[in-house]
Amino acid sequence: MNLLAFLSDFHPVAVHFPIALLPTVALLALYQRLRPEAQLGSAIRSLLWLALLACVCAMLLGLGNRAFNGHGGEEVNSHAILGIATTVSVMLAAFLYQFPHWALLLTRGLVRVSGLALRIGWGVFRALWIIVRALLRFVLIPVRLLLWCSARLLPKVHAGLEVRRQAFALRAKQAAARIRYRLHTVIFEYLRPDGSLWWQNGALATSVVLVLATGLYGANLSHGEDHLTRNMPQALRTLLLEDQLSGSQLDQAYFEKEVQPVLRRSCVKCHGDQKQKKNLRLDSYAAVVGSGVVKYQNPEGSELLRRLLLPRDHTAAMPPLHKGRPLQADDITVVVHWLQGHSLESLVSQTGGLAPELKALARQLPAIDEKRLSELNTLEGLRVRRLVNNYDLLTVNLSHVAPIHIEAALNRLAPYAVNVLYLDASNLQLTATQWQRLSGFGNLQRLNLKSSNIGTAEIQYFKPLAQLQWLNLFSTGVALSVAEIRAMMPGLNNIYLSAAESES
Amino acid sequence: MKRRQLLQHLALYSGGAALGLNLLGQRVLASAGADAQYPIFSGHHFLPRAKRVLFIWQQGGMSPYESFENKSILYRLNDTSPAKYKGQCSVACLKPIYPFAPQGQSGIEMSDRFPHLAGVIDEMTVIKTLQNFAPAHPQASNFLFTGERLNDKPSLGAWVNYALGSDNPHLPGFVSLGGADNISNGFLPSDLHGVYFETEGNALDFLERPERISAAQQRSAVEQVAQLDRLYAGRSGDTKGLAHGNVFELAHKMQSSIPAVLNLDDEPDYLREDYGLNDDATKTMGTNLLSARRLLESGIRFVRVTDPGWDHHSGLDTQFPVKARGIDRPLSALIRDLKQRGMLDDTLVVVAGEFGRTPFNEGKIIGGFGRGHNPDAGIVLLAGAGIRKGSVYGETDEFGFDTVKDPVNVNDLNATILYALGIDHMRLTYELGGRTFKPTGVGECRVVRELFA
C-alpha cells in the first residue's frame, strides 16, 4: 500500500510525457499531410504507441493518487475522467494509425448503417405523408368544391391560381431533391471508403485537445485556478479575462469590514463549511472572489447581486424564501458599493476627511454596530451619529433630551463614552454627579456647555480631558477667566466664555 | 462606474423605489422616530463642519456694482455703449454709483453702503462668480433652492432634513422667515416642508389652541389622527401618509415651543440695539436675523430668511441704499453674535440672491438708475463653519459681466453647503418615476472645497 502511495506521488512527473508526446505526433502528422513524400508514417506510429504507454502510466498513477493519497472532490473527479478519456482516445488513434484498413472498415460500416437509416427514415416519412395527405384531402373537400365552382365561374382567376400552385409545388420538389442530394454527399463523399486519414487525424486531434484539457485541470488543482493568469499584464487581462478573474481586484478590507458580516448572517449557512450549495462558498474573501459570482466594477454583471435583487418569491432569489435571514435593504447597498470597486480606504479618504490621528484613534476604540447606534437614538431628543461613516467616532447631541430622560441617556451612552468626540450638552441642567459622568467622555474634542448650569466647581471635572480643543462656556456660571481656563486645559484652541471674554 | 445604468438595473430588479434610499451608500438610523419616512443618516459622508445653516436670500439679486464689484472700465465708459457688446446690449454702461474702499485686514473692496458689514468682512468669503441657469426670477429661484427649473422640487432645507432629521423633537428642521417662496418638500415626505413663521405678531397663524377645546381633547385628536394614519399605512402598505400625522404632532408640540423660541424680549438690550431692532430702517431684518439665531440655537437645522426687494431695474440711487441699510447692521450684528457664542464655528451663513446684475444702465429705458439680470456673475457671502476668512473667490472679466475664473453655479453652491454639513450631494438621492433625484439637479457640479480654510 505504502509503496503504491509512494509511486502515485510521481503522477505529476508522469503526466509530462503524454503532454509532450501528443502535440509532437500531431505536428508530425500535419507535416506529413503537407508533404506526403516525407514518409513519416513509422515515426508517427511508434511515437503514438509511446504516448499511449505514457498515458496509461500517468492515468494509473493518477488514479492511485486519488485512491491512496486522499485526493478527492468534484474537480479531481473531472480531472480523472478527462484523463481516462485521453487514454481511450490515444488508444484509438494509435490503433487506427497502425491498422489503417480498420479505419476503412469503420467507414464502410458507417456508410452502410447510415444509408440504411436514411432509407428507413425516408420510408417512414413517406408513409406518414400519405396518411396526412389523405386526411388533408378529406378535410379540404369544401375548399376543392369552392375551387371547382370558381373554375366554372371565374375561369381566368382560377387559371392564374393554378399556375402559381404548380410553380410552388415544383419549387418544393426541387428543394426536397436538393436536401436529399446534400445528405448523400455528406455520407458518400466525405466519408467515402478511402477516408481512413479522416479517422486517424480526428482521433489524434481529439487526443491532443483532451490531454491539454486534462493538463490544465490538473495544474489548476496543484497550482491554483489563476496559475496562468496571475501575472498577466493588466491590459491583456482586461481584454481576455475581465469576466472570469476580475473579482480579485475587489477590495479585501472593504469585504472583511462591510460585506462579510452580511454574508455571514444570511448566506454561509448554505454556502459555508457545512454545506456548499451549488458548489459555492461565501465564507471568505478568496472563496467569494474565486467563485466567479462577483465582478469588479460591474455590479450588473455579478451573479451574486442579481440573486440578491430578485423578487423574494423568485426561485433563484437568495437567500431562498423562508430560509436564511433575508437581507436588509442596507446590506444590498454595501454589496453594491463593494462591487462598484470602492475600497474602504478610498471610500473614506475621498469622502471622510478624517485626520490620520483620528483614524488611528478610531481603530483602537470599541466598535459600535449599526443596530446599537439605532438603539441609542430611540431615546427622544438624543441624537448620536458617526462623525464619519465607517469609523466608530461619535458626535452626540444631548441638549434636547428632556430632564427626566437625562439619566437614561447617560446610561445608554456609557459603554461608548470613549467613542464620543463631539458633545453638545448646551442648555442642560445636570447634577454634579452627572457632570462628573460627562467628564468621563475621555476623548472629547469639542464640548458645548453653552447656557447649561455648569459652574466653576464642576468644570474642574473636565480638567483631565487631554484631547479637548473647543470649549463653549457661554452664558454659564463658570466664574473663571480665559487665562485660568487655559491654564487648566492647555490643549484648548477655542474658548467661549461671555460677551467680553472669548478667545479663539 | 456608470451609476445611471446601475440604477436602471436595480430599478428593473426591484421596482426601484424600494431601493432608492438604499443606494445612498448610507447607513440609516432605523429608529429615528417610530414612523420615520426618511433615512436619518447614522453617520456623515464627510467630517461635518457645520451643524446648521442660515441662508439669507437677497430675493431679486443684489447688484454687484453697488456692493463688491468695482470695475474701473465702467467709470471710463460710463454712459457709452462699449464696442465689445455692440449689438448685444442696447444700453450704456453704468459706473458703480457709490464710492468703494478696501475694508478690514483683508482689504476687500466694498461700497460705502455697507459700513457695518465692513467691520466683519474679515470673517467672510465673498464669491463674485455665482452662476445660475436661468435669467428670470421664478426659474432662477427654483434653480437656486432646488437645482431644478420647475417649481415642484424639494428645497435644500427639506433635503438637509431628509438626510439629518431635526435634532429638536419639538421643532421643525426647516424654517423660513420673511417669505414662504421655495420652501417646498416637493416629492419628499410632507413633514419636511419648510415652516414659515411670521416674526411680527403671531408666529404661526392658528397655532394656539382654541379656548373651547381642552388640552386633553386636542391631544387625543392628534393621537387619533396619527392612529388613523398608521392604520391606513398598515392596510395599504403606503407609508407616505404617516408624514401627515407627524405634521399634526409637531404642530401640537410647537404650541408650547415656538412662542418661547421667538420671544425676543429675552435678549439683552445691547444685542437688540446691535441688531437694529430700535431703528425702523433695520427693524425687519434685525428681527428676522435675531429670530433666526434663536431658532438655530434651539436646534433647527436649516433656517432661510428672505430679504425681498433687491431687484433694482431702477432705483439703484434711491431704493438700493434702503435695502443696503436694512441688512447692513443686522447682518454684521448676527456675525458678531454668532461668533461670540461660539456658534460661528459650526453655523454656515450664506447670503445670496438668485443672480447678479449687468454693468449696463437699464434705468435709461425705464427711468432712474438700474441694472438688468445677469445669471453669469453674482455675489455670495459666506461665513462660519470653517469658511475662509476675509477672502474673495472667483474672478470676473473687466466689465464684471462674465466669469473668467472659478465659477460657482447654484448647484456647486448647494453641493458645498451640503458638504459643510457632512453630506455628499451625490449620495443624497430619491428615486421617483424612474429617475434618481439629488439636491443638485442634473449635470456636472462640484463641491468648492477651496472655500474652506
Side-chain angles (χ1 to χ4, degrees):
Chain A
M1 224 23 134
N2 257 346
L3 185 67
L4 286 177
F6 165 69
L7 282 178
S8 302
D9 281 337
F10 285 82
H11 171 69
V13 179
V15 294
H16 292 97
F17 291 92
I19 291 175
L21 285 169
L22 284 169
T24 315
V25 178
L27 282 178
L28 291 180
L30 194 67
Y31 189 76
Q32 174 77 72
R33 189 75 199 260
L34 300 174
R35 291 265 171 87
E37 72 278 8
Q39 303 287 345
L40 292 176
S42 62
I44 292 177
R45 279 194 294 277
S46 35
L47 280 182
L48 254 180
W49 285 114
L50 206 60
L52 179 59
L53 184 67
C55 267
V56 171
C57 290
M59 180 183 79
L60 290 178
L61 290 178
L63 291 175
N65 224 352
R66 183 164 168 277
F68 306 124
N69 293 342
H71 295 293
E74 204 158 295
E75 286 176 342
V76 172
N77 287 349
S78 318
H79 173 61
I81 288 169
L82 277 176
I84 295 169
T86 312
T87 313
V88 171
S89 170
V90 174
M91 203 182 287
L92 191 68
F95 182 76
L96 291 177
Y97 266 97
Q98 191 68 37
F99 310 110
H101 61 278
W102 274 96
L104 276 183
L105 280 183
L106 211 62
T107 315
R108 284 212 195 105
L110 195 76
V111 168
R112 292 256 164 79
V113 170
S114 47
L116 199 65
L118 204 66
R119 243 167 246 150
I120 292 173
W122 184 244
V124 170
F125 178 72
R126 289 288 299 188
L128 280 177
W129 174 234
I130 286 168
I131 295 169
V132 169
R133 204 168 51 179
L135 278 177
L136 268 180
R137 285 240 162 100
F138 184 70
V139 172
L140 289 181
I141 284 173
V143 179
R144 295 180 82 92
L145 217 63
L146 209 70
L147 284 177
W148 186 79
C149 292
S150 72
R152 294 292 163 284
L153 299 174
L154 303 161
K156 269 213 181 128
V157 178
H158 184 80
L161 277 180
E162 181 59 22
V163 169
R164 291 233 183 107
R165 193 189 65 79
Q166 285 178 4
F168 177 77
L170 191 67
R171 272 213 297 282
K173 257 195 188 136
Q174 284 170 350
R178 263 205 302 277
I179 291 172
R180 250 158 73 191
Y181 175 72
R182 282 274 156 77
L183 277 174
H184 269 258
T185 0
V186 169
I187 294 170
F188 295 99
E189 287 292 313
Y190 288 122
L191 305 183
R192 63 188 182 281
D194 62 344
S196 54
L197 265 183
W198 198 89
W199 289 98
Q200 294 169 340
N201 292 340
L204 185 56
T206 314
S207 308
V208 173
V209 171
L210 281 173
V211 82
L212 291 182
T214 317
L216 190 67
Y217 243 85
N220 280 353
L221 284 173
S222 58
H223 304 300
E225 291 262 340
D226 60 343
H227 69 286
L228 290 179
T229 46
R230 62 186 153 220
N231 295 322
M232 186 182 271
Q234 186 55 45
L236 200 62
R237 177 188 294 268
T238 335
L239 203 67
L240 300 177
L241 298 165
E242 191 58 76
D243 269 5
Q244 293 101 53
L245 288 172
S246 58
S248 58
Q249 282 166 267
L250 288 162
D251 189 61
Q252 183 160 3
Y254 196 135
F255 176 85
E256 279 160 7
K257 177 131 174 43
E258 297 284 328
V259 182
Q260 196 157 25
V262 174
L263 300 181
R264 205 175 290 139
R265 277 198 302 272
S266 301
C267 319
V268 294
K269 202 173 96 195
C270 302
H271 299 288
D273 50 2
Q274 311 273 315
K275 296 187 210 160
Q276 299 90 36
K277 291 286 163 126
K278 207 156 180 202
N279 207 17
L280 175 68
R281 289 187 70 148
L282 298 174
D283 52 351
S284 70
Y285 174 78
V288 174
V289 165
S291 65
V293 297
V294 291
K295 308 241 160 93
Y296 179 62
Q297 290 192 342
N298 185 2
E300 306 97 290
S302 301
E303 179 68 10
L304 188 136
L305 183 64
R306 190 182 78 87
R307 297 290 185 129
L308 299 186
L309 294 176
L310 284 169
R312 290 293 303 127
D313 53 354
H314 194 285
T315 47
M318 287 295 144
L321 194 59
H322 308 313
K323 295 183 188 159
R325 172 183 168 280
L327 292 182
Q328 310 291 304
D330 226 34
D331 295 344
I332 295 178
T333 313
V334 166
V335 175
V336 171
H337 263 248
W338 182 59
L339 293 174
Q340 281 175 336
H342 290 293
S343 68
L344 198 56
E345 216 38 47
S346 78
L347 196 70
V348 175
S349 70
Q350 100 200 6
T351 57
L354 265 190
E357 314 83 86
L358 286 189
K359 287 187 193 174
L361 173 67
R363 276 192 275 278
Q364 299 157 13
L365 296 178
I368 307 164
D369 69 25
E370 289 297 309
K371 194 156 154 278
R372 284 293 170 74
L373 198 52
S374 274
E375 279 163 14
L376 287 177
N377 281 279
T378 50
L379 193 87
E380 192 181 64
L382 178 62
R383 179 71 82 206
V384 186
R385 242 191 278 268
R386 285 179 205 281
L387 260 181
V388 169
N389 286 331
N390 297 320
Y391 285 96
D392 300 315
L393 306 173
L394 301 179
T395 164
V396 173
N397 190 345
L398 271 177
S399 63
H400 301 295
V401 178
I404 48 162
H405 294 317
I406 278 291
E407 196 60 32
L410 290 177
N411 288 341
R412 281 195 193 199
L413 285 172
Y416 310 109
V418 285
N419 296 80
V420 182
L421 261 59
Y422 293 7
L423 178 64
D424 185 347
S426 54
N427 301 323
L428 292 186
Q429 309 296 311
L430 304 185
T431 62
T433 1
Q434 286 170 333
W435 284 123
Q436 195 165 13
R437 284 186 78 179
L438 269 193
S439 69
F441 289 39
N443 284 314
L444 278 182
Q445 294 200 341
R446 285 168 163 259
L447 178 58
N448 191 350
L449 303 174
K450 181 156 67 82
S451 309
S452 69
N453 72 339
I454 189 133
T456 314
E458 292 87 3
I459 196 68
Q460 307 293 337
Y461 298 139
F462 292 85
K463 214 166 157 180
L465 294 182
Q467 307 293 326
L468 202 63
Q469 295 167 5
W470 191 97
L471 179 62
N472 194 340
L473 296 170
F474 189 86
S475 175
T476 57
V478 175
L480 294 172
S481 70
V482 168
E484 282 165 325
I485 295 174
R486 205 172 276 290
M488 198 168 95
M489 294 184 241
L492 282 174
N493 294 328
N494 300 56
I495 303 169
Y496 298 94
L497 258 185
S498 65
E501 275 207 278
S502 287
E503 195 177 282
S504 62
Chain B
M1 166 68 216
K2 300 139 254 165
R3 187 182 159 84
R4 268 205 109 73
Q5 230 179 345
L6 171 66
L7 290 171
Q8 274 162 8
H9 276 259
L10 295 181
L12 265 184
Y13 289 139
S14 64
L19 262 168
L21 307 183
N22 314 329
L23 283 175
L24 302 173
Q26 190 55 67
R27 297 310 188 71
V28 158
L29 290 180
S31 57
D35 319 315
Q37 296 316 294
Y38 33 91
I40 304 286
F41 289 179
S42 71
H44 302 90
H45 300 123
F46 311 106
L47 192 67
R49 296 155 192 270
K51 283 191 176 150
R52 45 193 108 74
V53 175
L54 171 58
F55 196 122
I56 301 168
W57 180 22
Q58 296 182 297
Q59 194 178 25
M62 178 180 71
S63 167
Y65 304 96
E66 276 62 49
S67 51
F68 292 93
E69 199 71 299
N70 188 21
K71 295 290 183 183
S72 56
I73 195 168
L74 293 181
Y75 294 94
R76 238 184 324 119
L77 298 182
N78 191 27
D79 232 358
T80 65
S81 289
K84 189 173 172 192
Y85 298 116
K86 273 268 154 57
Q88 285 181 45
C89 302
S90 55
V91 284
C93 285
L94 173 61
K95 67 177 185 191
I97 296 180
Y98 306 104
F100 271 75
Q103 298 292 352
Q105 296 273 308
S106 50
I108 294 176
E109 273 203 293
M110 296 176 67
S111 91
D112 72 353
R113 295 295 98 183
F114 299 95
H116 290 90
L117 200 56
V120 293
I121 199 66
D122 285 341
E123 295 292 333
M124 302 188 135
T125 285
V126 182
I127 301 177
K128 294 193 171 177
T129 50
L130 178 73
Q131 301 202 317
N132 207 322
F133 305 109
H137 299 289
Q139 294 81 356
S141 315
N142 290 342
F143 275 122
L144 177 63
F145 289 106
T146 72
E148 302 266 349
R149 182 182 297 273
L150 300 180
N151 57 4
D152 52 351
K153 302 299 185 301
S155 188
L156 188 65
W159 277 110
V160 166
N161 282 288
Y162 182 64
L164 297 176
S166 172
D167 273 3
N168 186 335
H170 298 277
L171 289 173
F174 176 21
V175 165
S176 177
L177 305 175
D181 293 344
N182 292 94
I183 55 170
S184 167
N185 59 300
F187 42 70
L188 297 177
S190 54
D191 50 348
L192 295 172
H193 198 289
V195 179
Y196 168 60
F197 291 145
E198 300 273 3
T199 40
E200 277 157 53
N202 244 352
L204 205 55
D205 280 339
F206 313 117
L207 182 66
E208 277 156 47
R209 174 167 52 83
E211 267 168 33
R212 60 201 161 78
I213 295 178
S214 74
Q217 272 173 326
Q218 197 178 45
R219 179 73 238 165
S220 106
V222 169
E223 268 157 20
Q224 278 174 24
V225 168
Q227 206 171 345
L228 280 174
D229 286 335
R230 272 197 292 277
L231 196 67
Y232 173 75
R235 290 210 179 137
S236 66
D238 177 358
T239 53
K240 287 194 204 71
L242 292 177
H244 170 250
N246 295 351
V247 171
F248 272 70
E249 180 69 34
L250 184 64
H252 185 64
K253 286 175 177 167
M254 285 198 297
Q255 286 180 334
S256 53
S257 60
I258 279 301
V261 172
L262 288 182
N263 181 11
L264 302 188
D265 296 340
D266 287 357
E267 295 293 333
D269 280 344
Y270 81 91
L271 215 53
R272 294 170 57 91
E273 172 69 24
D274 208 14
Y275 273 88
L277 296 197
N278 305 328
D279 178 349
D280 280 347
T282 49
K283 187 166 179 212
T284 307
M285 266 317 261
T287 312
N288 283 344
L289 292 187
L290 185 53
S291 307
R293 193 218 78 208
R294 290 177 66 93
L295 290 167
L296 291 167
E297 206 169 22
S298 63
I300 290 177
R301 202 170 294 284
F302 196 103
V303 175
R304 213 228 15 225
V305 173
T306 307
D307 185 15
W310 289 94
D311 191 20
H312 295 118
H313 291 277
S314 68
L316 277 177
D317 48 341
T318 53
Q319 293 307 307
F320 186 91
V322 177
K323 287 308 305 171
R325 179 153 182 229
I327 193 172
D328 179 43
R329 184 164 184 184
L331 181 56
S332 60
L334 173 82
I335 300 291
R336 274 194 301 275
D337 191 15
L338 289 178
K339 183 168 181 183
Q340 143 189 322
R341 299 172 170 259
M343 285 174 75
L344 200 57
D345 291 333
D346 52 14
T347 307
L348 179 64
V349 181
V350 184
V351 187
E354 54 266 39
F355 38 52
R357 309 199 78 84
T358 66
F360 311 114
N361 186 3
E362 234 181 21
K364 281 250 173 222
I365 307 167
I366 54 178
F369 293 99
R371 302 177 187 275
H373 306 163
N374 180 12
D376 293 324
I379 299 287
V380 181
L381 302 179
L382 295 175
I387 288 285
R388 275 180 194 286
K389 297 180 174 198
S391 106
V392 173
Y393 187 82
E395 270 174 37
T396 53
D397 64 14
E398 56 180 340
F399 286 90
F401 196 28
D402 205 353
T403 290
V404 295
K405 190 165 163 246
D406 297 333
V408 178
N409 71 37
V410 288
N411 287 336
D412 298 337
L413 179 65
N414 289 341
T416 309
I417 294 172
L418 290 166
Y419 170 77
L421 287 162
I423 303 171
D424 179 356
H425 68 112
M426 294 300 288
R427 284 189 274 167
L428 176 55
T429 57
Y430 190 92
E431 192 78 21
L432 181 77
R435 191 184 138 187
T436 307
F437 285 87
K438 62 186 177 71
T440 47
V442 291
E444 295 283 305
C445 72
R446 67 186 189 108
V447 171
V448 191
R449 289 177 205 221
E450 306 90 283
L451 289 171
F452 296 89

